[in-house]
Amino acid sequence: MTDSTPTVVLVHGAFADASSFARVVPELLADGLRVLVPAVPNRSLTGDAAYIASVVRAVPGPVVLVGHSYGGAVITVAGAEDNVRALVYLAGYALEEGESLGELQGRFPDSELASALVYTPFPVEGSDEPGIDVTVEIDRFPAIFAADVDPGLARVLAVSQRPLAGAAFAEAAPVAAWKTKPSWGLVSSSDHTINPDVERYGYERAGMTTVEVDSSHLVMLAHPKQVADLIREAVRSLGTE
């Protein structure tokens, strides 16, 4: 590999971790691509984006930045880094500059997720006020998040969620990288976590190349080849690199 070899940076979403890309990574490595799957702190939109931006800046050469779910909001901001050459959204939030997750979601009817959220206080260093972690009811997680994923795996994912701090829902995106970077979007048309119309709206507004897959929210585990194919399309757009 050379410094011109593209690196695919995969950004997971809320209630998940890097293992949600476990079936996509082998596909990309087999193509001879560099791949990174960093752990997203899931503490704040701007903080998470700053962390992912620091990962991207350390990569030699061009980056294709891929975000799932909340990770889509993260790449919307982190994707402004100079070496990010393409963006790929997987069942994700494509925010407008100055828009929050709550504002984008609020334009559409709630998904099943809204009634299954659990709010738990957590200590914040240096503050007397706790933060609030958001997770999904364990018993409802498989049906809402991973309906077409192996049931045994879905049960494991349900009890190993990475929470998202509630504050992240209200933070406005300071920049929308899709305005200056070519972007692709995948709609999970059987998504019960994000209303698929939220995904469609964001992608259409951004003028993305869009595909639809009949999938649950965890499309990377349920349909890894289709996800990998969309990422490959973005990689090919970089040309000889």
Side-chain angles (χ1 to χ4, degrees):
M1 293 185 189
T2 69
D3 283 356
S4 66
T5 301
T7 298
V8 179
V9 178
L10 303 167
V11 180
H12 68 78
F15 324 129
D17 60 24
S19 68
S20 57
F21 288 104
R23 296 189 68 194
V24 172
V25 169
E27 297 261 347
L28 301 177
L29 292 177
D31 290 347
L33 295 166
R34 290 190 175 104
V35 181
L36 287 175
V37 196
V40 184
N42 282 4
R43 299 294 83 189
S44 72
L45 175 57
T46 54
D48 294 341
Y51 175 72
I52 294 301
S54 74
V55 172
V56 167
R57 282 195 299 274
V59 173
V63 168
V64 174
L65 194 53
V66 181
H68 173 245
S69 190
Y70 167 69
V74 174
I75 71 168
T76 296
V77 180
E81 290 298 311
D82 289 343
N83 60 328
V84 173
R85 300 287 300 278
L87 303 170
V88 181
Y89 291 77
L90 306 173
Y93 295 102
L95 298 180
E96 173 62 277
E97 183 177 340
E99 183 178 59
S100 70
L101 289 170
E103 288 170 339
L104 176 54
Q105 283 198 146
R107 294 191 173 98
F108 299 90
D110 284 342
S111 68
E112 289 180 39
L113 176 71
S115 65
L117 294 176
V118 178
Y119 301 92
T120 307
F122 68 88
V124 177
E125 186 176 359
S127 174
D128 293 332
E129 292 294 321
I132 300 295
D133 263 343
V134 185
T135 54
V136 183
E137 290 179 19
I138 289 173
D139 290 347
R140 296 181 65 189
F141 181 100
I144 291 174
F145 215 73
D148 52 356
V149 174
D150 174 80
L153 176 57
R155 287 194 294 271
V156 172
L157 298 172
V159 300
S160 54
Q161 297 176 49
R162 189 180 185 101
L164 177 65
F169 287 97
E171 279 189 79
V175 64
W178 48 259
K179 291 187 172 183
T180 57
K181 310 290 174 86
S183 304
W184 285 257
L186 183 151
V187 175
S188 288
S189 60
S190 295
D191 201 330
H192 295 284
T193 298
I194 300 177
N195 183 332
D197 285 338
V198 173
E199 301 165 21
R200 294 184 184 105
Y201 174 82
Y203 300 168
E204 289 169 6
R205 178 173 63 181
M208 293 186 196
T209 301
T210 304
V211 300
E212 300 216 3
V213 178
D214 183 10
S215 176
S216 70
H217 192 58
L218 278 178
V219 63
M220 309 89 70
L221 288 171
H223 302 279
K225 292 189 181 301
Q226 287 167 277
V227 169
D229 283 345
L230 188 63
I231 296 170
R232 290 178 179 122
E233 186 176 331
V235 169
R236 284 195 297 270
S237 77
L238 275 56
T240 58
E241 296 154 314

